[in-house]
Amino acid sequence: MTTKTIKSTASAGSIIPVLFAVVLGLGIITVTGHVQASTLHDAAHDVRHATGFPCH
Amino acid sequence: MMRRMTCATPPASPATKQMFGRILTSALFAGAAAGLIAALLQLFFVQPVLLHAELYESGELVHFGGEAVSARPDLPGLFDEPMRNLLSILFTMLTYTGYALVMVALMSQAERQGHEITARHGIIWGLAGFVTFHFAPGLTLAPEVPGVAAADVGARQVWWVATVASAGVAMWLIAFGGNLVAYVIAALLLMAPHVIGAPEPDSFTGPVPTEIGALFAARAFGIGMAAWVLLGAFCAYFWQSETAHAEATA
């Protein structure tokens, strides 16, 4: 009974770091691939073309 | 009994912290390694095609309407534009670290649902990631060589994000859905963005020869697939070793 309680608490708690990692990853992809600020765009220009992001 | 129950709840917090640490560590290693290899492959195989296209984009070279132009002009070498190429390496590594964070997080979730994650499984994960982030949007918004005509960038980004999201869900359903309904939904999700259609330019104004455009798209997809396969294998490998390390020190 006690074991069950611990298990379910642990798995309910550990979805948060998974979601946080996904959001962080998508955030990085958005900055390197999509943000159109001109400095960022120029720096990432070749990568955006080669990695299939819409560039300009 | 009550005492034991209350004691049992708090450890979830350190476990949660440790979980994020393991995802972050694995993703940083896998993303940096695969990103570096991807960047070098791109510099060697894709960049010369891009630089060639830029000669037509800038008007330095013109095909048709004049004398025949050599298909092998002098292009800047790998070390002629060090800052440009170093920035490309940095941004490729960052981008692949972003991909890795998403992939390792989903791997940890799949593992918790009872699926095995090994470096060999990682290869399939990598292919699924390639389809999701590169091939699915690229099927209609083909990898663009500089100078091609294209619709408004904001509209294309919206379509890109929607296509990646639906392809990602489709890949998960194909891998873990396990029944016909899931497969049918996955197929519909994969096809829908292309049936609806991506934003397209009103007219074609690209000055770049079609041979260069085709080679660029093929190279971008090929290098992308190779890099993603490595990324999948690395993510699974580092996730496994981080998990083994955590269990050994627990």
Side-chain angles (χ1 to χ4, degrees):
Chain A
M1 174 65 188
T2 319
T3 328
K4 260 189 181 173
T5 317
I6 295 167
K7 256 193 174 174
S8 64
T9 315
S11 67
S14 53
I15 191 70
I16 292 164
V18 172
L19 289 177
F20 189 65
V22 169
V23 170
L24 184 63
L26 294 177
I28 293 173
I29 295 165
T30 304
V31 171
T32 60
H34 289 300
V35 174
Q36 288 293 315
S38 69
T39 322
L40 253 182
H41 171 272
D42 294 348
H45 174 269
D46 298 352
V47 179
R48 290 184 181 183
H49 277 283
T51 318
F53 292 95
C55 193
H56 42 67
Chain B
M1 183 66 183
M2 274 303 283
R3 220 153 211 268
R4 283 184 68 189
M5 289 285 280
T6 30
C7 283
T9 328
S13 176
T16 301
K17 257 190 199 164
Q18 191 197 31
M19 176 83 168
F20 182 69
R22 277 159 53 206
I23 294 175
L24 189 65
T25 312
S26 322
L28 282 177
F29 277 113
L36 181 61
I37 295 171
L40 295 176
L41 287 172
Q42 280 175 1
L43 284 177
F44 197 75
F45 290 107
V46 186
Q47 190 70 3
V49 188
L50 186 144
L51 292 173
H52 195 171
E54 283 187 342
L55 294 179
Y56 287 91
E57 185 188 24
S58 65
E60 196 173 315
L61 292 182
V62 179
H63 74 125
F64 293 136
E67 287 178 24
V69 178
S70 166
R72 293 180 195 79
D74 285 332
L75 296 170
L78 265 187
F79 302 102
D80 290 335
E81 295 176 298
M83 184 47 87
R84 177 176 180 170
N85 291 338
L86 277 175
L87 280 172
S88 292
I89 293 174
L90 176 73
F91 274 85
T92 308
M93 290 174 75
L94 267 173
T95 305
Y96 276 80
T97 303
Y99 295 152
L101 275 164
V102 177
M103 181 129 73
V104 176
L106 294 178
M107 280 177 170
S108 74
Q109 184 61 25
E111 194 175 60
R112 201 160 47 198
Q113 291 175 2
H115 303 287
E116 199 184 356
I117 304 289
T118 67
R120 285 183 71 213
H121 290 99
I123 292 172
I124 309 270
W125 277 79
L127 283 173
F130 168 71
V131 169
T132 302
F133 278 96
H134 204 161
F135 195 65
L139 193 65
T140 293
L141 284 183
E144 293 164 23
V145 81
V148 296
D152 173 59
V153 67
R156 283 183 293 139
Q157 285 175 335
V158 169
W159 186 88
W160 188 98
V161 169
T163 304
V164 167
S166 67
V169 173
M171 289 295 112
W172 187 273
L173 287 174
I174 291 169
F176 304 117
N179 61 62
L180 191 60
V181 177
Y183 300 144
V184 171
I185 293 173
L188 292 175
L189 281 172
L190 283 172
M191 286 188 289
H194 307 285
V195 173
I196 294 166
E200 283 178 7
D202 294 327
S203 61
F204 296 134
T205 55
V208 180
T210 170
E211 291 88 339
I212 295 178
L215 181 63
F216 183 84
R219 286 275 171 95
F221 277 146
I223 300 306
M225 184 162 71
W228 266 103
V229 164
L230 290 172
L231 182 72
F234 292 166
C235 281
Y237 173 80
F238 285 114
W239 173 249
Q240 276 311 322
S241 53
E242 279 298 306
T243 307
H245 179 73
E247 278 166 4
T249 53

